[in-house]
Amino acid sequence: MRLNTAIRSEAGILETNKVLRNTYLLLSMTLLFSAAMAAVAMTLNLPYPGMIVTLVGYFGLLFLTTKFSNSAWGILCVFALTGFMGMTLGPMLNMYVQAFSNGHELILTALGGTGVIFLGLSAYALTTRKDFSFMGGFLMVGILVAFLAGLAAMLFSIPALNLAVSAMFILLMSGLILYQTSEIIHGGETNYIMATVSLYVSLYNLFTSLLQLLGVFGGED
């Protein structure tokens, strides 16, 4: 009886380690691919596709990724999703480079801050092995509220609300990194494709939110 329990426990640990390894490997590859697509968009000086196209493209590719998450097609969908998001990021980065004399520094600072936050939170979750599953409901409601508030800020041009939304997203995405890493560790997430998407979206929103705040408080004309 004890032997069977030990075997199951060992198998669970091996499976968790496999999901973690595959998630971080795929995440690294998609981040590089997304960065390459952003660089292409910047080089070609592509225009921003607009909020509607961005949202339709994102949710459409997210739906496909979720649908094929248990097959090899899911990996292709992940790259399509992250590549698309990289393409939409390029025009935004060009805007910062053109609008601010220290635009490149702002981008690098936001990138460095995103990396530090991600590595710090991931290391904390992995070393302490705390269960952050209790945050799931709060994060879901918080992200929905922040998303709707962000749409309102864009539609009605409310700069103060836009800044508040950016600050909210930084906190929410930080919480999502803890939550998703905890889910992998404790067996709540066994699909590395969906885990990769969740972490990528967290990093994307974390980076853009940091960049927006830096542009407001540290941008130089």
Side-chain angles (χ1 to χ4, degrees), residues 42 45-46 48 89-101 103-104 106-107 211-212 215:
M42 291 180 70
N45 199 26
L46 296 180
Y48 181 65
L89 185 61
M92 184 190 307
L93 298 181
N94 266 342
M95 182 188 70
Y96 277 85
V97 171
Q98 295 166 7
F100 302 108
S101 60
H104 288 95
L106 293 176
I107 293 171
L211 184 59
Q212 185 165 20

Side-chain angles (χ1 to χ4, degrees), residues 150-164:
L151 288 179
M154 292 176 63
L155 291 174
F156 300 106
S157 300
I158 309 175
L161 180 58
N162 211 20
L163 288 178

Side-chain angles (χ1 to χ4, degrees), residues 135-146 172 176 179:
M135 298 173 63
F138 167 77
L139 290 171
M140 183 178 297
V141 173
I143 290 171
L144 178 60
V145 171
L172 289 168
L176 190 57
Y179 171 79

